[in-house]
Amino acid sequence: MPSSKTKIAIVGGGVAGLVTARHMVAKLDIYSITLFEQTDQIGGTWIYTDKTDFDKHGLLIHSSMYKNLRTNIPKEIMALPDFPFQNVDGPSFTHHSMIREYLMAYAKHFNLHPYIKLNTLVKRVEPETTRNGRTLWTVTYKSLETKEEITKTFDAVVLCNGHYSVGRVPHIPGIESFHGRRIHSHQYRMPEIYAGKRVCILGASWSGIDIALEVSQYANKVYLSHNLPEQFDSKMSSNVEQRPGVESVLGNVFTFRDGSSAEVDDFIYCTGYKFTYPFMSTKVEIRTNDDHVEPLYKYLVHMDYTNLFFMGLPTLVIPFPMMHIQAQYILAILEGRVKLPSSQQMREEYEIEKKSLLDQGILLRHINKLKERQWGYYDELAAAANVPSVAPVNRKIMEHVFHMRDVDFTTYKNYQYRIIDSENFSMSYCKPC
């Protein structure tokens, strides 16, 4: 007898995949799940490796984790609501290894390992329409150890393959003539290799600032090149100089947009990442240009295939709790507790929202940067799925972190936060180790 359970394919074993699996494993009378992970361990981008190019199977290294990275969100609000961090007394902005340990403990606690296929590469995801008009998904995957390829059919697919693994590298005229070391932040691991060097870092978002702070402790000179209105010089080491974006390169001479130039030994692109779904059938429309994925409803559901989900796309959010709510919203759709509008209605609703954001001066590539819009997003999904939203104290702490970072991005991680109740928190300043 064929199983009456809803068969779910989850692509990716990072936070998004684990959270999705956790909620489905709680309903094994309804769901039959398979989580595909191409590496040999769970954790996604939180797995640190010294390797920067290819793994043992010849695949591009997935993780962008660098050796000294600490979280930019306090662990007190970063935690998944049903699984708090055990080390309550430790620093709020914790080293990445603690997050990996946390995810390992999460997977063990909720008994997720029996449903995870490690060393398994998803090669193709293809929609099939049945006679009664239902869409099913054929997933072709390959064991990287045995090389065996298998194709199976699923009722729904949840894409959790992350978006911090394929770096976006803008073309700069003359860059081919530069013979120094040239990497994307995806390949950055440790600052010591830049000792005594003149380093240009292109981009001054979260990773650009973090890496500039690290590299400046070893480099002779750091040029922080960006087109943001903010001025960072006064908060950086004296060997850091702010310049506009790079206009062109000739040998080791970089010319910036203000006409100034500098000699450079090493170049680091901190220019963001691409959204990529290389395994997806061309039958499925996915537009990923300009750092934006369409056509998605609520940043999550494909408008033409409402059993195809894209987890964890919004940024400038509290990612773990967001995915906790997203996963439950997905279950509510699959179980018929949330009734989606028609494809046309979803598109119309989306276009109205998109036009409103563009009219406010928000660029297309920044639409998924929710920041202050994240709270309404959580509340909306949670209310529809009839699950708790993020507690008000989380918002208060997050807004305090953003404020302290704006005041001084070199010291904001020295604060320690403690949640008192759902509305209140305390904080104290701790000298860095």
Side-chain angles (χ1 to χ4, degrees):
M1 290 288 290
S3 170
S4 59
K5 294 182 180 181
T6 302
K7 297 183 181 68
I8 308 291
I10 302 170
V11 182
V15 182
L18 297 176
V19 170
T20 304
R22 173 263 178 275
H23 288 284
M24 291 180 173
V25 164
K27 295 184 172 184
L28 289 176
D29 56 325
I30 300 176
Y31 299 105
S32 169
I33 73 168
T34 307
L35 188 157
F36 301 98
E37 169 54 46
Q38 72 178 31
T39 71
D40 58 6
Q41 53 192 313
I42 59 171
T45 200
W46 295 99
I47 300 170
Y48 175 80
T49 174
D50 288 331
K51 295 181 179 178
T52 58
D53 295 315
F54 299 97
D55 65 14
K56 62 185 178 183
H57 298 296
L59 298 174
L60 290 172
I61 290 292
H62 179 79
S63 177
S64 298
M65 195 59 53
Y66 47 95
K67 190 175 182 179
N68 302 321
L69 183 138
R70 290 164 61 202
T71 61
N72 52 27
I73 298 172
K75 71 177 190 300
E76 289 74 21
I77 63 171
M78 192 174 179
L80 289 153
D82 54 358
F83 196 72
F85 279 89
Q86 298 303 303
N87 181 14
V88 294
D89 296 322
S92 288
F93 297 88
T94 186
H95 187 259
H96 63 78
S97 58
M98 258 201 72
I99 305 299
R100 184 187 166 204
E101 290 171 11
Y102 171 80
L103 295 175
M104 297 288 283
Y106 179 85
K108 183 178 180 181
H109 179 79
F110 291 108
N111 193 33
L112 304 184
H113 286 286
Y115 311 97
I116 298 172
K117 288 184 179 293
L118 298 174
N119 293 305
T120 305
L121 176 68
V122 172
K123 298 196 70 177
R124 189 161 182 79
V125 176
E126 184 94 21
E128 279 189 359
T129 305
T130 64
R131 289 180 181 177
N132 62 5
R134 279 184 64 213
T135 297
L136 298 177
W137 297 92
T138 59
V139 177
T140 301
Y141 56 94
K142 176 183 179 180
S143 166
L144 296 172
E145 294 177 317
T146 67
K147 309 304 180 188
E148 180 185 16
E149 282 196 16
I150 298 172
T151 299
K152 287 190 176 178
T153 302
F154 295 87
D155 298 297
V157 174
V158 187
L159 302 181
C160 306
N161 57 311
H163 50 96
Y164 296 111
S165 58
V166 180
R168 185 175 67 255
V169 178
H171 176 68
I172 298 169
I175 191 64
E176 301 81 7
S177 68
F178 178 64
H179 298 300
R181 185 165 31 205
R182 177 169 34 128
I183 65 166
H184 187 272
S185 58
H186 171 66
Q187 298 160 302
Y188 173 79
R189 293 295 182 267
M190 55 194 74
E192 292 87 347
I193 64 171
Y194 297 102
K197 301 290 188 179
R198 298 164 297 184
V199 184
C200 180
I201 296 173
L202 180 61
S205 190
W206 297 78
S207 62
I209 293 291
D210 257 9
I211 292 171
L213 287 170
E214 280 199 2
V215 169
S216 66
Q217 297 175 43
Y218 295 88
N220 182 41
K221 184 78 175 181
V222 173
Y223 297 99
L224 183 59
S225 168
H226 65 90
N227 297 310
L228 299 175
E230 292 92 336
Q231 299 293 309
F232 303 114
D233 291 356
S234 62
K235 298 170 185 174
M236 291 282 194
S237 303
S238 59
N239 62 336
V240 178
E241 191 175 321
Q242 185 173 245
R243 294 288 179 96
V246 179
E247 183 72 37
S248 62
V249 175
L250 182 61
N252 69 335
V253 177
F254 280 50
T255 300
F256 302 95
R257 290 187 176 182
D258 62 355
S260 66
S261 62
E263 293 190 3
V264 171
D265 301 309
D266 288 275
F267 186 34
I268 306 174
Y269 293 91
C270 293
T271 45
Y273 292 85
K274 296 178 181 178
F275 291 101
T276 58
Y277 306 95
F279 44 75
M280 185 57 67
S281 165
T282 54
K283 294 178 185 176
V284 180
E285 179 189 8
I286 305 177
R287 297 190 299 279
T288 59
N289 52 307
D290 212 5
D291 299 343
H292 187 66
V293 184
E294 295 183 2
L296 299 186
Y297 183 68
K298 307 299 181 193
Y299 305 95
L300 185 61
V301 188
H302 197 286
M303 295 181 196
D304 298 326
Y305 299 94
T306 54
N307 55 356
L308 175 64
F309 305 97
F310 295 68
M311 278 283 283
L313 298 194
T315 60
L316 295 186
V317 295
I318 312 178
F320 292 15
M322 177 190 73
M323 289 185 267
H324 179 80
I325 294 172
Q326 285 185 325
Q328 293 175 93
Y329 183 77
I330 289 171
L331 264 66
I333 293 171
L334 294 173
E335 294 163 20
R337 293 181 283 113
V338 165
K339 305 291 186 186
L340 294 173
S342 68
S343 176
Q344 182 181 343
Q345 287 172 316
M346 284 191 279
R347 286 176 186 273
E348 289 172 357
E349 185 180 323
Y350 168 74
E351 289 299 334
I352 290 170
E353 180 188 2
K354 178 179 168 182
K355 183 179 185 302
S356 171
L357 293 171
L358 293 174
D359 287 347
Q360 292 171 44
I362 296 174
L363 299 175
L364 182 66
R365 67 176 182 272
H366 293 159
I367 283 179
N368 69 322
K369 295 181 177 180
L370 297 191
K371 203 171 181 180
E372 67 278 356
R373 290 183 283 129
Q374 65 182 302
W375 316 110
Y377 178 67
Y378 306 151
D379 290 347
E380 184 182 2
L381 294 194
N386 194 27
V387 298
S389 188
V390 170
V393 68
N394 289 40
R395 176 174 185 169
K396 291 176 182 177
I397 291 176
M398 187 68 164
E399 289 176 344
H400 189 271
V401 169
F402 273 115
H403 169 70
M404 297 310 293
R405 185 179 185 273
D406 287 342
V407 169
D408 190 344
F409 56 76
T410 67
T411 60
Y412 80 101
K413 291 186 182 182
N414 297 338
Y415 287 87
Q416 195 163 32
Y417 293 86
R418 294 291 175 261
I419 293 175
I420 299 169
D421 54 39
S422 64
E423 293 281 350
N424 300 290
F425 70 93
S426 65
M427 57 159 236
S428 57
Y429 186 83
C430 305
K431 288 185 178 180
C433 300

